[in-house]
Amino acid sequence: MPTSVDVAVLHCSPTGTVAITAEVIAESTGKAGAEVRLRKAAGHAPQTVIGSHPARAASTRATAARVQAERVVKSARAAKTGLTAEN
């Protein structure tokens, strides 16, 4: 009997370099049959550091927008199903 495998690929990639590796890992793992979630963790660099590096600033804005969009989707799903947003 086949075993189900769930994999979470978490990364923090302020400039996108590590994100490429994480995407390759997630894609390869998915092709092997696993249920994969690819998630980017928010960085914790000081705002002065983020603002001084254009790629890092753009990545930080994109991450914040994605997190907000995921919250909206979870909230809508919770309202539709009657579950809490955490489920």
Side-chain angles (χ1 to χ4, degrees), residues 32-49:
E35 183 70 29
V36 181
R37 287 186 174 203
L38 176 62
R39 296 290 185 259
K40 181 177 178 183
H44 297 286
Q47 192 60 40
T48 55
V49 172

